[in-house]
Amino acid sequence: MSKYDMEINLLSGALGAEIKGINLKDNSIKNFKKINKLLLEHKVIFFREQDITAEEHINLANCFGNIETHAYVKSRKKYPEILRIIKEANEKNQWGEGWHSDVSYNYKPTKAVILKSIKIPPIGGDTVFSNMELAWKTLDDGIKKIVKNKKAIHSSLGAAYFVKNYRSMESNGNYDEYSNEHPILRTHPETGKKILFVNWTYTKKIVGMKKKESDEILNKIFQHQERLDLTCRFKWTKNAVAIWDNRSVNHYAISDFFPGRGLGYKRIMDRIAIEGDKPN
Ligand code: SIN
């Protein structure tokens, strides 16, 4: 492979590709178009050995749209665009554990996230992604019929949820709570594809349904979304970058830090999120 050739290695049969031969420091329109095409096709793309600086990370994010800051967690002092996710060496908990789509409780949930690894444990702390376009296609027909034209309520769970159980994740002082209704079946604004837009962490109730009935249906959907055949899993190395289309994937940062194996190592990631649209 010459340095100008691109190599695409699929991570699973469901979604995800590791890309070689793209320079993330190049923020020309031509390079961005190439990256965005890969993102729309594979839904999450990974790059290794990308020693991009914080400024280059921000420049790359700016190509996708406006950068959004997290509602509850303090950003890096020098770079307010970047949220540093830190798991201390002897911490078991991992920020981002549990299936979710980032900030789906916002009126305009995140469009995409660019996550760069800074420090990675030798074992543990992989991230898993699940394809929500495939999740809709493979969902039970009876459930599809019930939820097709319905909305669901997504709730932010409050500030404590994002900082209380994580030693180095600091509150930014905002304690407001947010809740918004979004269609359960949304249409991707760029590809026109149908996406199942609910997630285990933030989606609380189907609008217009009794709580018990809503819980039953949502639990069935959550179980379906977690099916391993809809997923791919990325093992991080230092200076790797993941870009995910937050409209069409759910993800889960695995907290497999157990004594004698994953526990005892620090994990640090730099995260930049890009503003999205109101789901339709
Ligand atoms: C996140 O959920 O945004 C963080 C994912 C990770 O740290 O792997």
Side-chain angles (χ1 to χ4, degrees), residues 99 130 132 135 138-140 143 196 198-201 215-231 250:
W99 284 107
S130 182
M132 290 304 110
T138 53
L139 186 66
D140 171 81
I143 298 181
L196 181 59
V198 292
N199 65 85
W200 178 85
T201 302
D215 282 350
E216 275 169 19
I217 294 173
L218 283 177
N219 284 333
K220 283 187 188 154
I221 296 178
F222 297 151
Q223 272 176 20
H224 174 71
Q225 289 176 313
E226 293 173 14
R227 277 172 47 179
L228 293 180
D229 46 341
L230 301 178
T231 68
N250 285 354

Side-chain angles (χ1 to χ4, degrees), residues 85 94-96 100 102 115 125-127 236 244 251 253 267 269 271:
I85 302 171
Q94 160 73 54
W95 203 81
H100 64 285
D102 282 347
L115 189 67
D126 297 355
T127 309
W236 292 94
W244 67 84
H251 62 284
R267 182 181 187 270
M269 314 290 275
R271 171 190 179 277

Side-chain angles (χ1 to χ4, degrees), residues 113-167:
V113 174
I114 307 178
L115 189 67
K116 176 176 185 272
S117 52
I118 307 294
K119 194 171 175 59
I120 290 298
I123 187 78
D126 297 355
T127 309
V128 185
F129 297 84
S130 182
N131 179 341
M132 290 304 110
E133 202 181 296
L134 264 185
W136 175 255
K137 276 196 193 137
T138 53
L139 186 66
D140 171 81
D141 282 338
I143 298 181
K144 272 184 175 169
K145 226 182 262 167
I146 297 170
V147 301
K148 201 169 80 176
N149 296 311
K150 294 232 169 351
K151 289 186 171 186
I153 301 167
H154 296 242
S155 157
S156 67
L157 310 173
Y161 178 78
F162 295 90
V163 294
K164 200 178 85 197
N165 294 321
Y166 310 105
R167 230 182 301 148

